[in-house]
Amino acid sequence: GAVVSQHPSRVICKSGTSVKIECRSLDFQATTMFWYRQFPKQSLMLMATSNEGSKATYEQGVEKDKFLINHASLTLSTLTVTSAHPEDSSFYICSISGTGAADTQYFGPGTRLTVL
Amino acid sequence: GENVEQHPSTLSVQEGDSAVIKCTYSDSASNYFPWYKQELGKRPQLIIDIRSNVGEKKDQRIAVTLNKTAKHFSLHITETQPEDSAVYFCAAITGNQFYFGTGTSLTVIP
């Protein structure tokens, strides 16, 4: 399957600062990447679908101005959490889809964000 | 949109026994149903999947069954081992959108 990396794996920041998380597809050109958020002991919640070269599609209830997504190339998508607050503390996971259609998703290792 | 329900939320079994996790979905257009295993603090790993044109699929100790009419699918783990302990998520896919179940925390007691 595809290899997906994320950076950083862990980040601690102060409230009010912005944090950028990178998601890279190492061996596959991903036209579509997905960003999920997972709170402790809860399921993965889709935040947005990141499309290469175009604007991301956000799920209902997700603030697009707070969670900025940039998918500038076929191998890189970034999620920036702007003006982070403690309630944004979560496990953020990206994934890519095999073909962009109904197919297996390959997940990155996740980024643990802690906002103090 | 799709609504995926998963039961039970927690499950404890004795080593060697079987474990069954069930999911229901609402959108009849969903056509792909993967199951993921997630260990604490790690990424979800695909363990088995089934497409809508198949009723059952098996891979060693793991099997998945799908009932499209009733809109439910199940994960079956036989001869459970302590290393099977993890959180398991089902998902239903419509188009390229994944909808995850709420997860089942499986504990296999040695």
Side-chain angles (χ1 to χ4, degrees):
Chain A
V3 179
V4 183
S5 70
Q6 271 183 251
H7 178 80
S9 58
R10 292 177 178 271
V11 57
I12 300 173
C13 69
K14 293 182 179 180
S15 184
T17 60
S18 295
V19 175
K20 179 184 286 187
I21 303 170
E22 292 185 350
C23 176
R24 291 184 184 273
S25 173
L26 300 184
D27 59 353
F28 184 81
Q29 292 187 326
T31 55
T32 304
M33 292 184 177
F34 304 88
W35 285 97
Y36 293 87
R37 179 168 53 185
Q38 186 178 33
F39 293 108
K41 298 185 178 181
Q42 294 190 24
S43 187
L44 295 97
M45 299 299 298
L46 179 65
M47 299 175 65
T49 302
S50 170
N51 302 296
E52 188 266 336
S54 63
K55 292 182 179 180
T57 303
Y58 289 82
E59 294 298 299
Q60 190 174 5
V62 178
E63 300 175 59
K64 61 181 181 180
D65 294 330
K66 179 171 180 62
F67 300 99
L68 301 178
I69 292 174
N70 186 309
H71 192 160
S73 75
L74 291 172
T75 59
L76 174 64
S77 175
T78 61
L79 168 68
T80 301
V81 183
T82 63
S83 187
H85 292 285
E87 56 264 33
D88 297 325
S89 299
S90 185
F91 193 50
Y92 292 87
I93 306 178
C94 70
S95 72
I96 65 172
S97 180
T99 63
D103 207 334
T104 303
Q105 283 202 3
Y106 301 95
F107 288 88
T111 297
R112 174 73 61 192
L113 170 63
T114 303
V115 184
L116 303 177
Chain B
E2 177 66 279
N3 180 42
V4 179
E5 296 188 356
Q6 184 172 344
H7 299 281
S9 57
T10 59
L11 178 61
S12 293
V13 299
Q14 291 288 334
E15 182 177 1
D17 287 350
S18 295
V20 180
I21 303 170
K22 298 180 179 180
C23 285
T24 62
Y25 62 100
S26 61
D27 191 343
S28 57
S30 292
N31 57 6
Y32 175 60
F33 308 92
W35 284 89
Y36 291 87
K37 175 183 179 182
Q38 186 180 29
E39 298 178 356
L40 187 64
K42 296 187 178 180
R43 77 184 86 190
Q45 298 277 9
L46 177 71
I47 56 172
I48 196 167
D49 56 11
I50 192 168
R51 297 190 185 272
S52 59
N53 59 346
V54 176
E56 183 175 359
K57 184 177 179 180
K58 188 174 182 180
D59 182 5
Q60 299 183 339
R61 298 188 296 109
I62 297 173
V64 56
T65 58
L66 171 66
N67 184 326
K68 282 203 69 178
T69 302
K71 298 194 185 71
H72 66 70
F73 55 110
S74 300
L75 176 71
H76 305 253
I77 306 174
T78 59
E79 302 172 31
T80 54
Q81 301 167 3
E83 50 265 38
D84 294 330
S85 297
V87 177
Y88 291 81
F89 292 99
C90 65
I93 286 72
T94 305
N96 68 346
Q97 295 280 21
F98 272 56
Y99 298 90
F100 285 88
T102 49
T104 296
S105 178
L106 172 65
T107 302
V108 179
I109 304 167

